[in-house]
Amino acid sequence: MEYGSIERELRINATPEVVYEVISSPEHLREWWPDDAELDPVPGATGAVTFGDPASPDAKIEPLTVLEADPPRRFAFRWVYDEGESAAPGNSLLVTFDLVPSGDGTLLRFAETGFRERGWETAVLEEAYLDHVRGWDLFLPRLVTYANRLVTRP
């Protein structure tokens, strides 16, 4: 296995405008991905996502930096980098969401790249990659369910 990138395509029964809000605004992110999110969805903005109870010392807090915010087409950020560093190729992972209108819905193309570029030893690379595969396989279907629910509310 190469552990280079994670890529998924998802069909969502909501417009790209709705899906863009779901993938870029903290109040929507909290509904399907992290337990807490703080970010301003504009290029260059930094923020963080928190997994677990933010008040707990066991909470996992990941800083992130928004790279691209092009509503309703693309949202991209770097994350998984050491605190105190600026996110850059080689020290972080890049997540991109590309939104393509598809009938009355959206085709979401998701990718997370940069695993090999981190320079991790093989065992660490493999564990990080598989951990992220498991994570996205859990969270991306929740994104679809949440976005679909938003547009079917009475």
Side-chain angles (χ1 to χ4, degrees):
M1 216 177 187
E2 60 166 292
Y3 308 116
S5 64
I6 300 169
E7 296 177 17
R8 302 284 184 268
E9 279 196 357
L10 307 160
R11 173 93 174 84
I12 301 173
N13 296 324
T15 64
E17 290 77 9
V18 169
V19 176
Y20 187 86
E21 286 299 310
V22 167
I23 61 172
S24 66
S25 67
E27 61 271 18
H28 290 299
L29 286 169
R30 289 182 199 110
E31 296 296 321
W32 65 270
W33 185 35
D35 294 295
D36 196 17
E38 293 178 33
L39 72 126
D40 193 5
V42 297
T46 57
V49 288
T50 303
F51 298 92
D53 178 355
S56 163
D58 296 334
K60 184 158 177 52
I61 300 170
E62 290 288 353
L64 63 79
T65 301
V66 177
L67 291 190
E68 292 182 67
D70 180 18
R73 288 180 278 287
R74 177 174 247 225
F75 187 68
F77 60 86
R78 286 197 169 278
W79 75 315
V80 189
Y81 54 93
D82 294 334
E83 199 169 339
E85 287 190 16
S86 294
N91 77 350
S92 60
L93 300 178
L94 173 64
V95 171
T96 55
F97 293 96
D98 286 306
L99 309 178
V100 180
S102 175
D104 58 355
T106 302
L107 178 65
L108 182 146
R109 290 191 177 115
F110 165 88
E112 185 175 35
T113 60
F115 290 92
R116 283 193 314 263
E117 293 78 359
R118 288 295 310 258
W120 288 322
E121 63 181 55
T122 304
V124 173
L125 169 64
E126 182 177 340
E127 178 53 36
Y129 181 85
L130 294 175
D131 184 49
H132 282 243
V133 166
R134 285 188 297 269
W136 291 118
D137 284 350
L138 170 70
F139 292 117
L140 290 173
R142 289 173 56 176
L143 182 167
V144 173
T145 301
Y146 176 70
N148 288 345
R149 201 171 67 231
L150 279 180
V151 296
T152 57
R153 285 189 177 147

